[in-house]
Amino acid sequence: MDSPEPHCSSYYAATRNDHTEYPPLSAHTRSDVCVVGAGFTGLSAALSLAERGYKVTVLEQHRVGWGATGRCGGQLIGGIPGEARLRAYLGDAGSEAFEFGYRGHELVRERMQRYGIDCDFKPGYLDVALRSRHLAQQERW
């Protein structure tokens, strides 16, 4: 492929600060770890490994943040869906597992500071109810 596909029309593509181009892999390379996918999860895994001294190569078919990462608007929302089912299945550990979904917030803020990432961070989000049952769930929560 001569040129990676452009980002789809999204908030991320319209507001990103860095328009860096990365060359395609064209030769043999040696790494301790190869991460496939340059979205939030892949890049976070690659950075965590690199911070621990591993030589990491990241492969992305399109562009950094091209898939779901580039379409979500970069929202920092915690938790995991299905808290009630998780608690029913895991008991007391279900609450701990749910809270685990918020631990990444601290890591993101720490990395923004450590690496001087200018990402126009604005905390907060809006949870909306699309159906009556969603509203009831929110009221219980």
Side-chain angles (χ1 to χ4, degrees):
M1 175 174 13
D2 292 336
S3 177
E5 289 188 40
H7 281 283
C8 67
S9 179
S10 68
Y11 178 78
Y12 169 76
T15 62
R16 65 189 173 156
N17 294 331
D18 186 3
H19 297 273
T20 305
E21 296 288 329
Y22 296 96
L25 184 63
S26 60
H28 294 287
T29 186
R30 289 193 169 272
S31 299
D32 298 315
V33 178
C34 178
V35 174
V36 178
F40 285 144
T41 303
L43 293 176
S44 180
L47 182 56
S48 292
L49 290 163
E51 288 173 338
R52 289 167 177 78
Y54 291 94
K55 184 172 191 275
V56 182
T57 298
V58 177
L59 296 178
E60 170 58 52
Q61 181 180 4
H62 300 288
R63 294 179 181 272
V64 170
W66 189 88
T69 290
R71 292 170 173 82
C72 77
Q75 299 174 51
L76 189 58
I77 300 173
I80 36 183
E83 180 185 5
R85 286 180 296 216
L86 198 58
R87 283 187 178 157
Y89 183 74
L90 296 175
D92 290 338
S95 293
E96 291 177 28
F98 182 78
E99 290 300 320
F100 187 71
Y102 288 94
R103 293 187 186 157
H105 293 201
E106 183 178 325
L107 179 61
V108 169
R109 286 184 182 98
E110 176 187 301
R111 285 180 171 166
M112 286 186 310
Q113 183 176 4
R114 181 184 318 152
Y115 296 107
I117 299 170
D118 179 15
C119 60
D120 304 322
F121 179 69
K122 293 171 183 62
Y125 68 93
L126 176 66
D127 243 341
V128 297
L130 302 176
R131 296 182 172 80
S132 297
R133 66 182 170 89
H134 296 158
L135 181 58
Q137 289 170 342
Q138 286 182 336
E139 287 171 345
R140 283 193 302 274
W141 188 66

